[in-house]
Amino acid sequence: MPAHGSTMDNFNGSVLAEKSVSSNDGVEKMETDTPPSFEQKLAHLTKILGVAEGNTFPALNEESAMIIRVLIDSFNEEAFNDPERLPFVVEDLLERITVDIQPASSKGDSMDVDVANLGPVFKNPYIDEVVNTQGFQVVRYYMNVLDRLYVKSPDLAAFNSDLKVVVEANFLTLFRGFQDATFTKEVRFALLRLLLLDHFSLDLLFRLITVASDPALTDEDCLPEFLNPLLDLLRFCVSCGNLSILDDLMMEKPYVLLKNILNFKLNNHRVAAELLSNRIDFLPKMHTGHRGREISKLSYLGPFLAMGVCDIDCERNVFGGVDRFFPDIEHIPEDEIRFQTYGIYQSRMNTYRSHMRDILHTLLVNAPTRDKTLVFLAAILKYNKKRSQMQANHTKLATDAFMLNVMSVLLSLSEKITLDKVIPSYIFHPACRVDVRDETRLKFDSEELEEYEKTLDLNYDPKFPTECFFLAIHAVELGYNASIESMKRIKRHLSQVQTMVRETEAELKAAQKSGRPSARLEEKLKHQKATHVRIVRTLLCIECTIRCPILMEQTLIFTDKQLAFLINMINPNYQYDYSLPAEVPKMLGMYPELYLESVLEFVVFVMGMNPKILLARKSDLPQQLLVFLCSTHYLRNPFLCAKVIDVVYGICPDVNPGMASMHESLIMTPLAINQLVPSMIKFYSDLETGSDFYEKFNIRRSMQIIFRSLWTIALYRSKICEIALQCKDEFIRFVNMVINDATYLLDESLANLKKIHDIERKMDNEAVWNALNEEERQREQSTLSEAKRSVRSWLVMGDDTMDMFGYLTKDVPQPFYQDPLGDRVASMLNHNLLQLCGPKCTELKVKDDKRRFNWDPRRLLRQIVDIYLHLASEEFATAVGGDERSYTPEQFELAVERVFKVLGTSTGENFRNLGAMARQKYEAKMQMEDDYGDDIPDEYRDPILATLMSDPVKLPSGAIMDRKNILRILLSGEFDPFSRMPCRPDDLVPGMFFVV
């Protein structure tokens, strides 16, 4: 070990004589009653330095020890009594000793404290190899010296105090890098190993930090030069570990050590915490466009926050390191086996998250480091903001494990925050740490937002509860919800690969059967199966992480609080009076959509993945979300309301019987009783505009299930009937949308059944199929696959729509056969009756229809006929007979015969009677056309349908139309068909505008 400069350059005699370093053993007081003799001091120094005859430090040979003893015996009393000379004397002795200390391997010395294998745990063999180095023995030597110094010696207390300062300062010098690089590495890794094994006490470490922090004893660079390398090694250990290593007791050590080091207080200052927050890598400067990934990799705390099952980098929906967690699994295991395996990882992760929380809590509770820590947490969220995007590039962002851990920490820190401590206007404050500038608002646009911000009083300094609460909101969005989307994406990828495997297997089988070369297909199949295995393991990783019950419950508690926060802006007393203002409160309307959307997405996930957590907590979330379902006008985006629908749908007894108690508690609230049905009727119609064409069917199907569950409750059935009998515009629009949906869904279903029937017949005919070329066969197979996918979804939705049509028309038939709906209902029923019972009905037959597509033509016929009979009346018969597109008496009679055969005599007789009435109306209509024919003046004809007007009305454009025809047009959009001017039913002017 090369010599180094004197450590005593920073000492002076008065300091050494007067100052003693604080210690836990209480050895501080100076004994002056009987000063020790010079001989006692010499003997004591010989013992303390470990060179006493017969009691020499093991790594120091006897010859070297003898030389040191001779040197000590040669000292004169003046040197020992001079406080300015003693430090240099002791330092010289220590330096001579450390130079002569030999590595343990050279003497065959192996101590039981050094046999632990830490290298495999932290993926660094040098942590084990360091025990055979000189530096390791030197560190142990200083530990032994200080151990002897810390033993109480009342007669030598003052002398001991002087020696401790010298030894501790000299010990610190070893770690500061003054020696050659090899020796410096040895002593630093030796300190790390001894700390990890608990052989280097925290008391001793804290004593060294105390000395290094004292400006009277050391220079200002001492603390960072001593502590920063140790912090670096702790970070290094964590970055090399992962949960596939089962030695948690050792893997947790760097977390525990960092937590204890940061928590150490000196004169009411957490000196290590302040040192850490001032490091360049605490919040490093970002240099690339991959800032989300950069901050998780380059920041000091990044590796500490990255521990998890899905901590590895993700590319093309496949985690690069999945084989380490589920190495023997090739297919998704059964739930019981899978969840049991998950439980092991989840329990371990909860322990690590507890350590993460303690580390960050220490930094946040310490006033000098709080702001920098909040800046760091806000930067993580800012740089990973794109995780919430649908097509996010995850190679540029932090991993799911990292973000979920950050989220868990923030949720833990938010647990004790009460809403009265959270200031709603914080997101508009100039010092706001979350970026919501580009976010879409719940109700208002950017110009209205700009004007509103001018009216706010933002003259305050945000406090920690407010800042932490809003950071947690964004952490849930970027943590849990983004990870849920990751899981969905992986599941889609898995489904695609499974389809590819099946198709390749079919191609391979056909090739082998025909004797064609199959080597390329075999290689392709091998690659696809390998990809399948990796995606399966990837899915297990992400599912294991986000299914953690404790993490779910922790997030659920917070989202409950988050939703209560939003409702407080609507009505702080809502839980007592259940009243809602007619207009959206300004503050709420200015809030970003994600503040509500993140709650909805998470609750829907929990209800689908683990609803027992909701039941166990007796959460008020569904009742709180009902506020927004009953106030859809508060929200500009219909998809937000649709997500509330998803929550209510998820607790319907028909969907989830286990949630029946929660469903009952929701629908029996005063708000639900008074506003749920009218609000849903309005929203059902509002979906027609502002929503995706295909997505609206999924939303409406969920609403149909909710309506069906409400219909079984007498209170709600009477409410629906009351609204229907009033037959207001809103209900008419609602029924019109139901008719539109039924028409489209059944048309698509039956059209695709015909495609399936035709193509499969063609495939069954070997001669016809083989006559097609390869391109034509592929085109037919593609059409067939698309038809199969479509018919499965459309039939389910069509069945639910017809089911709702059935129970509504049974109890309140009048709105359905009166204008303006009667003609539309009759036309829809006639068309589908013709499809089922007409001359081409055989084209709807497909093989194994019930199992493959849930296609039951008997059930659909029953639904159609029941609706006919529910509406049976003179008015409806007129509408049926007046349908020129699908009705003829002959075709209806054929349908009657089919009904007799399929549905029985009683139903057949009733249906025949309705057919007879429809025939009479049809014949009367035909007679009138024969009587008048082309003699009807043009001014008496409806300008669009060219039929004789019976109730003419004037439109805002001045045009005259038959009332029932214009009302039907207005159902799809309230505008004048001639001028596109706004036009509502109230704008129609009745009267005779010509003389008949």
Side-chain angles (χ1 to χ4, degrees), residues 693-694 697 739-749 794:
F693 178 78
Y694 295 102
F697 292 111
I739 296 171
N740 288 346
D741 291 350
T743 300
Y744 179 82
L745 293 169
L746 292 180
D747 278 354
E748 288 296 307
S749 299
W794 294 139

Side-chain angles (χ1 to χ4, degrees), residues 722-789:
E722 177 186 345
I723 293 172
L725 290 172
Q726 292 173 357
C727 210
K728 293 183 178 179
D729 291 347
E730 207 63 68
F731 185 77
I732 296 297
R733 287 185 65 225
F734 162 70
V735 175
N736 183 64
M737 294 304 111
V738 175
I739 296 171
N740 288 346
D741 291 350
T743 300
Y744 179 82
L745 293 169
L746 292 180
D747 278 354
E748 288 296 307
S749 299
L750 300 182
N752 280 294
L753 282 169
K754 290 179 180 179
K755 289 180 183 178
I756 295 170
H757 170 271
D758 294 342
I759 295 174
E760 288 187 342
R761 279 193 63 187
K762 192 179 295 184
M763 294 173 71
D764 290 341
N765 189 324
E766 191 171 342
V768 174
W769 185 249
N770 290 336
L772 301 177
N773 60 40
E774 185 66 24
E775 183 180 348
E776 289 172 331
R777 283 198 293 267
Q778 287 184 356
R779 187 164 55 247
E780 292 283 10
Q781 286 175 333
S782 176
T783 302
L784 177 62
S785 298
E786 180 61 31
K788 287 178 179 179
R789 283 193 296 269

Side-chain angles (χ1 to χ4, degrees), residues 118-127 189 192 196 231-247 250-252 254-255 296-297 299-308 311-312 324-325 348 352:
L118 306 187
V121 177
F122 299 113
K123 300 292 186 290
N124 189 339
Y126 192 74
I127 299 180
F189 269 88
L192 171 68
L196 292 173
L231 295 177
D232 290 337
L233 289 176
L234 292 177
R235 183 185 187 276
F236 169 77
C237 288
V238 172
S239 64
C240 293
N242 64 75
L243 284 183
S244 65
I245 301 169
L246 300 180
D247 190 355
M250 185 52 61
M251 284 178 54
E252 290 175 28
Y255 286 88
S296 69
K297 296 291 186 182
S299 64
Y300 180 84
L301 292 177
F304 289 88
L305 295 168
M307 184 68 71
D311 62 325
I312 50 271
R324 70 172 74 134
F325 297 113
R348 297 169 64 199
Y352 286 102

Side-chain angles (χ1 to χ4, degrees), residues 549 552-553 555-557 559-560 563 599-600 602-625 646-648 650-651 656 658-659 661-663 665:
M552 274 191 190
E553 185 167 3
T555 311
L556 195 61
I557 292 171
T559 52
D560 201 343
L563 200 54
V599 177
L600 298 172
F602 176 72
V603 174
V604 170
F605 165 75
V606 173
M607 294 179 65
M609 191 67 72
N610 194 352
K612 292 180 180 178
I613 292 181
L614 271 176
L615 291 172
R617 286 201 66 251
K618 295 182 170 53
S619 172
D620 293 333
L621 275 169
Q623 289 89 334
Q624 292 171 325
L625 289 173
D646 286 341
V647 175
V648 181
I651 63 174
N656 196 339
M659 305 289 282
S661 58
M662 183 170 287
H663 179 261
S665 67

Side-chain angles (χ1 to χ4, degrees), residues 684-717:
Y684 196 103
S685 305
D686 291 343
L687 274 173
E688 195 66 21
T689 56
S691 63
D692 179 76
F693 178 78
Y694 295 102
E695 183 61 26
K696 72 180 179 184
F697 292 111
N698 291 318
I699 300 170
R700 283 175 174 168
R701 179 176 181 263
S702 298
M703 297 182 72
Q704 289 159 6
I705 303 299
I706 297 171
F707 271 119
R708 187 166 64 199
S709 69
L710 296 177
W711 188 259
T712 62
I713 302 169
L715 175 64
Y716 278 94
R717 183 184 299 183

Side-chain angles (χ1 to χ4, degrees), residues 673-693:
I673 293 171
N674 294 325
Q675 298 189 38
L676 179 57
V677 171
S679 180
M680 286 186 60
I681 286 174
K682 180 179 184 302
F683 183 59
Y684 196 103
S685 305
D686 291 343
L687 274 173
E688 195 66 21
T689 56
S691 63
D692 179 76
F693 178 78

